[in-house]
Amino acid sequence: MAFDWAWLPLLAHGLILTLEITVTCIAFGIAVGIVLALMRVYGGKWLSIPASIYIQIFRGTPLLVQLLMVYYGLPSWGISLSAFTSGVLALGLNTAAYQAEYFRGAIQAVKSGQLLAARSMGMNMVQAARYIVLPQAFRIVIPSWSNELILMLKYSSIVFSITLLDLMGVGKRIASHNFRYFEVYIVVALFYLALVFIITQLLRLLEKRVHIPGLGETAES
Amino acid sequence: MSLLIVKDIHKAYGGIEVLKGVSFSLEQGETKVVIGPSGTGKSTLLRCINRLSPPDSGHVWLDGVEVTDPKANINALRAEMGFVFQSFNLFSHLTALRNVRIGPIKVKGMNKDAATKLAMEELERVGLSDRADAYPAQLSGGQKQRVSIARALAMSPKLILFDEPTSALDPELIGEVLTVMINLAKEGMTMLVVTHEMGFARSVADEIIFMENGVIVEQGTPGEMFSNPKNKRTGEFLHKINELYGETD
């Protein structure tokens, strides 16, 4: 009943693909999420409403539906994307909506006096956001953002449904060869568990590294 | 020509008129102190001058340039007007030194070395060069306010607006901030100060402006205002303040 270690190299390949997908979609999500958050907080009616609609749609529908629409649905509009691109795009668009809400909360948690002080010394809105508000918001957002990163790592497993051989996809293929579902999925689960553990530690390190006295704690200005 | 001219400023919040036509001027090197009961629009007046809260009507000129002109380069004009807040508003993620030098670097385009040198000089001026690497949360209230004055000074402003700079401080910390402000006034910095510190007003102000209910009730030299106020309300207010805060000089 022992696990057949000959499958290990294949699983390692799957692991690498899982990491590639997670890192790419998270990076995409950070970029789009920050833009959406800025639109919601500072954009006025004309920018904040479209951003809200986007966030509502992507948070309000199942990720699997979004993924299948991108991979199987878009070709009927003449847009055919590779499985990898589809997976990263769907996951990226989805996590962007969640990250936007985390960033929005963090931006709003930066005291209003900070922006006021920046503007009063002659910074324009872009400079004030870039040099004063966002550096503080990034530090505030780390704990909640960490959850999103861990969730995305695990959610990325759904890309097996569009033929990708990520950690989950490889596991499924192995299991359907040797019918040892239980052993195989336990090994796959342990891989995810180890990844989550490592990432959690790295994020803790990051949090410590960028920590500034009085920021993110409940301290006054 | 006056350095700062404020003419007939009106400002309402939610239908309530906070400023009902305020006019005065400030000469180069002059210190004027604005006093008056809470809620009479003193802080709003300061924020109208640099347009942090744009006035509904009226005009402001700084050194001949109209601040209230919609086409004015407001960021460039704000860079010439320091603003010191009651609640300090030091940038929480930056050390004292970086708080002071970020304006010169990002707004005025100064290179980093020159800005660092300048920032150290300004910290020295407020007696805090030894706290250059401290974050705001590691400073006392008085120290925070002195850093925020250094931050304003580093921009080489034409004037500095002070919005109740000592009101958020514990009594024993007020003195260190006032000392810095008194020295600035002596060095010829142009200052407009909203405060309840009558000792400061009496000893430093070239003129005191008494505001109530959105208008200037009376203005004059400290001598006139304290010993012989023309308006009954001015006398009552000064008497009350005296009872509350006591003589501070």
Side-chain angles (χ1 to χ4, degrees):
Chain A
M1 279 295 279
F3 181 73
D4 186 352
W5 295 105
W7 296 108
L8 213 54
L10 249 181
L11 281 169
H13 269 279
L15 178 81
I16 288 167
L17 185 61
T18 289
L19 283 176
E20 280 174 359
I21 291 171
T22 307
V23 169
T24 319
C25 82
I26 281 288
F28 178 88
I30 292 173
V32 177
I34 289 171
V35 173
L36 288 169
L38 290 171
M39 284 165 72
R40 284 211 62 182
V41 180
Y42 300 125
K45 187 166 75 175
W46 295 109
L47 288 177
S48 76
I49 290 176
S52 299
I53 292 173
Y54 175 94
I55 292 165
Q56 284 296 326
I57 290 174
F58 279 87
R59 292 208 310 171
T61 56
L63 179 53
L64 186 58
V65 173
Q66 293 162 18
L67 178 69
L68 297 181
M69 278 175 73
V70 169
Y71 186 62
Y72 294 111
L74 285 184
S76 61
W77 290 356
I79 306 168
S80 289
L81 303 171
S82 71
F84 180 81
T85 311
S86 300
V88 165
L89 186 65
L91 289 166
L93 290 171
N94 182 274
T95 185
Y98 283 91
Q99 291 192 41
E101 287 298 89
Y102 292 132
F103 284 126
R104 179 177 66 91
I107 289 169
Q108 286 173 335
V110 175
K111 291 191 180 64
S112 60
Q114 299 284 305
L115 180 64
L116 221 51
R119 296 306 308 273
S120 77
M121 66 163 56
M123 286 193 192
N124 60 38
M125 200 57 210
V126 174
Q127 288 175 316
R130 181 168 160 203
Y131 301 122
I132 306 302
V133 178
L134 287 178
Q136 296 184 42
F138 286 145
R139 289 176 169 87
I140 295 170
V141 87
I142 292 176
S144 56
W145 182 84
S146 301
N147 281 332
E148 180 64 12
L149 177 51
I150 288 163
L151 278 178
M152 283 322 284
L153 174 74
K154 293 182 292 171
Y155 281 157
S156 73
S157 60
I158 69 164
V159 299
F160 85 90
S161 63
I162 57 168
T163 74
L164 281 173
L165 289 175
D166 70 325
L167 196 47
M168 180 66 196
V170 170
K172 192 166 182 290
R173 177 165 288 192
I174 296 170
S176 60
H177 270 270
N178 63 10
F179 305 112
R180 292 185 162 178
Y181 294 101
F182 195 71
E183 288 94 328
V184 173
Y185 286 134
I186 279 210
V187 171
V188 167
L190 286 175
F191 267 97
Y192 279 107
L193 195 61
L195 276 181
V196 168
F197 178 78
I198 293 167
I199 288 174
T200 310
Q201 296 307 313
L202 287 177
L203 284 167
R204 246 183 230 159
L205 224 67
L206 173 74
E207 201 173 340
K208 253 191 212 152
R209 224 196 134 109
V210 301
H211 173 77
I212 281 171
L215 243 187
E217 302 153 18
T218 44
E220 30 129 37
S221 65
Chain B
M1 179 163 191
S2 302
L3 181 67
L4 179 75
I5 301 172
V6 173
K7 197 178 159 199
D8 201 23
I9 292 287
H10 287 258
K11 176 76 182 176
Y13 285 114
I16 296 162
E17 205 169 22
V18 183
L19 296 176
K20 305 168 183 167
V22 173
S23 305
F24 67 93
S25 62
L26 194 59
E27 305 302 319
Q28 168 79 45
E30 204 177 24
T31 295
K32 277 195 184 176
V33 168
V34 184
I35 61 171
S38 303
T40 46
K42 306 185 299 290
S43 298
T44 306
L45 174 64
L46 290 193
R47 287 175 187 217
C48 281
I49 290 172
N50 77 350
R51 271 174 56 189
L52 278 183
S53 309
D56 299 333
S57 68
H59 303 272
V60 176
W61 287 270
L62 176 72
D63 213 2
V65 181
E66 186 175 356
V67 180
T68 39
D69 181 348
K71 285 179 296 217
N73 180 350
I74 188 61
N75 292 321
L77 285 164
R78 281 180 187 152
E80 297 182 331
M81 289 185 266
F83 200 104
V84 173
F85 295 86
Q86 180 179 347
S87 50
F88 330 122
N89 292 341
L90 285 183
F91 303 132
S92 316
H93 63 306
L94 301 177
T95 60
L97 178 76
R98 284 163 179 255
N99 260 283
V100 178
R101 78 176 184 194
I102 192 167
I105 293 175
K106 300 301 181 190
V107 178
K108 299 176 88 177
M110 192 182 280
N111 78 52
K112 212 167 164 182
D113 290 340
T116 305
K117 191 166 163 283
L118 171 69
M120 278 310 290
E121 285 166 12
E122 299 301 357
L123 284 175
E124 182 81 56
R125 203 162 157 191
V126 299
L128 283 173
S129 49
D130 58 328
R131 302 293 279 145
D133 294 324
Y135 286 98
Q138 298 166 324
L139 298 171
S140 73
Q143 291 174 330
K144 284 184 205 177
Q145 196 59 297
R146 281 147 70 197
V147 172
S148 96
I149 293 171
R151 178 172 69 175
L153 288 171
M155 297 294 286
S156 316
K158 287 179 175 160
L159 82 155
I160 302 182
L161 308 167
F162 291 85
D163 186 8
E164 301 204 28
T166 57
S167 296
L169 297 176
D170 292 335
E172 74 269 23
L173 300 176
I174 290 174
E176 59 187 81
V177 173
L178 289 181
T179 305
V180 167
M181 291 172 63
I182 290 165
N183 287 335
L184 283 182
K186 282 185 190 150
E187 287 165 25
M189 175 58 72
T190 312
M191 317 201 314
L192 183 64
V193 185
V194 172
T195 186
H196 293 297
E197 291 299 323
M198 292 305 136
F200 175 81
R202 183 178 282 205
S203 59
V204 176
D206 296 296
E207 199 167 71
I208 294 177
I209 296 174
F210 174 56
M211 269 182 78
E212 188 169 44
N213 297 324
V215 293
I216 293 177
V217 176
E218 186 174 348
Q219 52 184 321
T221 64
E224 295 163 6
M225 296 283 274
F226 280 97
S227 54
N228 190 20
K230 291 187 203 73
N231 190 292
K232 189 165 139 272
R233 276 299 301 147
T234 314
E236 284 169 8
F237 176 76
L238 287 174
H239 183 71
K240 199 180 274 174
I241 279 281
N242 223 8
E243 277 183 348
L244 273 175
Y245 294 86
E247 275 293 23
T248 42
D249 58 344

